[in-house]
Amino acid sequence: MTSPFDTIVAPITGAARAAVAIVRLSGPEAWDIGRKLFTSLPEDAGPLRLYYGRFAHGDDGYLALFEASRSYTGEAAAECSIHGSPASVQGLIELAIEAGARFAEPGEFTQRAFLNGRIDLTQAEAVRDTIEAQTMAQLRAANRQREGALFREVSSVREELISVLAAVEATVDFSEEIGDLDRSSTADRIVSIQTRLSSLNESARAGRILRGGLRVALLGRPNAGKSSLLNALLGSERAIVTATPGTTRDFVEESIELEGFPIVLIDTAGLRESTEESEVAGIERARSIARTCDLVLYLYDLSGGYAESDRLEVFALDRPVWIVGTKLDLAPSVVTGLRVSSRDGTGLSELRRAIRQFAGEEPSVAINARHQAPITAALDEVGLAVDTLLHDRPVDLASVSLRGAISALGEVTGETADPDMISRIFHDFCIGK
Ligand code: GDP
């Protein structure tokens, strides 16, 4: 069992050897342990200063002390900046543990920041997104969420729900003083909340694309020009290096970045009639990739023409599909449709622009997969509440739904619903006036 009263220690820089590493201590004993590790710390040392000197394990570097109110974790902390060798990091951490610290669990610094009320859950998740960002658009989105954009939107929807709930409950509890609930105007207020929740819910697509990339499958008969197009698109764009496990694969997946948006291009096995077992498996795999991607580029050779088999394949797809003519240099007379030449580069920038547009606008907030379930639940509950009010069902039922929605949204931010709701019931209303 870990205790929030432990003082924890861990390197906050990467595990690889580097010029510099930072070891963080956080918790009630952080300063005391810091003093034991840093032999040259002056007697009156305090926060907002950087001290240079020698550490007890022999390395030299800097020590900084943080007050709870200004630290990352929301509790007293000390950060030791030393040389980034495994020996120096390990040596310092061993001394810290001897002096009473415990090695931190994964994510424990950020968890403490959350538990100490420094950040909410969406901001904690954004810390992870920030660290994982590979493109500028990913970084911008992570920064906005870390600065609280999603937290503010969810909290503001939640507060609006609390205020509607207060109005509803007041008419239940004090109907003699304030009269019956105005159902239709209350329903209107909830519908506008519903709209905001819907747009949050719709941001899931943008969030998924931003975090995981727009998945674009290249499909077509053998020799349609799939690999050449993949390479042409990769060649002119910054490729995102991804380590994908697995050695034998019948498809190739590569990521590029278009205006900061990650785009995952998947080259698949050529589609044709076949009886050869491994080829059939590859073709089935190609079709199943096409079923789960965001966009299919169906390629055909302009110099060979679009065949009946192409028509059948395209017809069977239930994803957005663009038919792209390839090898334009061999058939320059074709003037309509999306068409490219991987050989001379014609049409590539138009194709890139279209794909970028298909990925969508950069969203101001974008929920992730975890947020989606509670936000969907909240949407269902507010839908029920509107239904209840407009169909003359008991007002109590609307309260139940609103409470459900409020608590679902609390799951997104990590808050608990009840205490502030109760105070708000009397805050928003001046009973008796
Ligand atoms: P895949 O089987 O669909 O991946 O097709 P490939 O990309 O391997 O291309 C099949 C053949 O067409 C190769 O010989 C390529 O060099 C050729 N090819 C591909 N794209 C072009 C192009 O834009 N112009 C010309 N002239 N040949 C191309």
Side-chain angles (χ1 to χ4, degrees):
M1 266 308 270
T2 61
S3 156
F5 304 111
D6 291 344
T7 295
I8 53 175
V9 64
I12 56 173
T13 41
R17 192 169 46 157
V20 171
I22 297 174
V23 172
R24 177 188 283 150
L25 286 151
S26 181
E29 306 292 319
W31 287 23
D32 290 342
I33 296 174
R35 274 175 201 288
K36 286 182 191 152
L37 300 183
F38 192 80
T39 42
S40 38
L41 198 65
E43 203 48 41
D44 61 348
L48 302 174
R49 283 186 174 216
L50 208 51
Y51 299 94
Y52 172 77
R54 193 159 294 278
F55 286 90
H57 68 313
D59 197 0
D60 64 334
Y62 294 95
L63 178 92
L65 300 172
F66 296 82
E67 302 163 284
S69 61
R70 291 173 196 261
S71 79
Y72 177 75
T73 51
E75 55 191 15
E79 287 181 10
C80 313
S81 176
I82 52 176
H83 290 99
S85 67
S88 183
V89 171
Q90 193 54 34
L92 189 65
I93 285 175
E94 275 167 20
L95 288 183
I97 289 171
E98 266 169 43
R102 162 171 73 70
F103 198 75
E105 302 283 327
E108 198 171 0
F109 292 121
T110 305
Q111 187 185 10
R112 287 191 173 193
F114 167 66
L115 291 174
N116 290 321
R118 201 128 177 88
I119 54 173
D120 85 310
L121 273 190
T122 67
Q123 290 170 304
E125 288 170 308
V127 169
R128 190 192 55 208
D129 290 347
T130 309
I131 293 167
E132 286 176 2
Q134 293 205 66
T135 75
M136 288 311 290
Q138 288 174 328
L139 181 62
R140 284 192 294 269
N143 286 343
R144 282 190 293 267
Q145 189 169 320
R146 211 158 31 76
E147 284 153 13
L150 179 57
F151 169 69
R152 280 191 299 275
E153 178 57 11
V154 173
S155 303
S156 134
V157 170
R158 188 165 165 260
E159 274 161 29
E160 178 63 8
L161 278 166
I162 290 168
S163 147
V164 174
L165 178 63
V168 170
E169 302 219 317
T171 59
V172 173
D173 297 340
F174 304 97
S175 62
E176 286 181 10
E177 293 90 331
I178 59 176
D180 285 343
L181 181 70
D182 179 343
R183 283 175 178 256
S184 118
S185 73
T186 309
D188 285 348
R189 277 181 82 184
I190 302 177
V191 168
S192 70
I193 294 171
Q194 210 171 9
T195 310
R196 289 172 70 185
L197 281 175
S198 294
S199 77
L200 268 179
N201 213 22
E202 280 155 21
S203 75
R205 176 189 186 263
R208 184 179 56 74
I209 289 172
L210 254 183
R211 293 182 180 92
L214 180 83
R215 298 184 65 78
V216 179
L218 305 181
L219 241 68
R221 280 183 277 151
N223 285 325
K226 299 180 290 297
S227 314
S228 304
L229 181 60
L230 177 79
N231 287 325
L233 288 170
L234 280 180
S236 50
E237 293 297 333
R238 190 170 82 90
I240 298 168
V241 182
T242 44
T244 319
T247 45
T248 53
R249 298 192 340 181
D250 43 23
F251 64 98
V252 174
E253 191 176 300
E254 298 282 356
S255 298
I256 59 167
E257 180 184 328
L258 295 182
E259 294 172 21
F261 265 74
I263 312 287
V264 183
L265 298 167
I266 312 154
D267 183 14
T268 62
L271 305 172
R272 67 168 165 198
E273 290 290 331
S274 171
T275 49
E276 206 264 303
E277 205 175 316
S278 68
E279 190 178 9
V280 170
I283 290 171
E284 271 320 303
R285 184 104 180 100
R287 293 191 179 120
S288 89
I289 289 166
R291 279 194 289 275
T292 56
C293 66
D294 296 299
L295 174 65
V296 175
L297 299 185
Y298 191 91
L299 273 46
Y300 77 100
D301 181 344
L302 287 167
S303 66
Y306 193 63
E308 183 57 22
S309 67
D310 294 320
R311 216 179 308 276
L312 290 174
E313 290 290 350
V314 167
F315 184 72
L317 291 168
D318 64 349
R319 311 299 299 168
V321 51
W322 296 348
I323 296 167
V324 181
T326 60
K327 312 188 195 179
L328 181 62
D329 54 298
L330 299 180
S333 58
V334 179
V335 292
T336 54
L338 264 175
R339 50 201 196 285
V340 295
S341 166
S342 303
R343 180 146 303 169
D344 64 19
T346 316
L348 290 181
S349 52
E350 286 82 353
L351 182 61
R352 272 196 295 270
R353 209 171 310 130
I355 294 174
R356 170 64 193 86
Q357 246 171 21
F358 184 81
E361 293 292 308
E362 190 172 323
S364 55
V365 294
I367 65 167
N368 68 22
R370 184 188 74 81
H371 308 141
Q372 211 171 358
I375 287 176
T376 306
L379 257 175
D380 290 346
E381 295 282 13
V382 296
L384 281 176
V386 172
D387 239 35
T388 301
L389 292 177
L390 296 184
H391 290 94
D392 268 347
R393 301 201 187 98
V395 169
D396 279 353
L397 288 182
S399 295
V400 171
S401 302
L402 292 172
R403 279 177 192 279
I406 291 162
S407 115
L409 292 184
E411 278 175 44
V412 176
T413 57
E415 285 167 85
T416 52
D418 282 1
D420 55 354
M421 189 200 76
I422 291 160
S423 68
R424 260 165 196 284
I425 286 178
F426 295 99
H427 216 215
D428 280 8
F429 280 74
C430 301
I431 305 285
K433 267 245 167 169

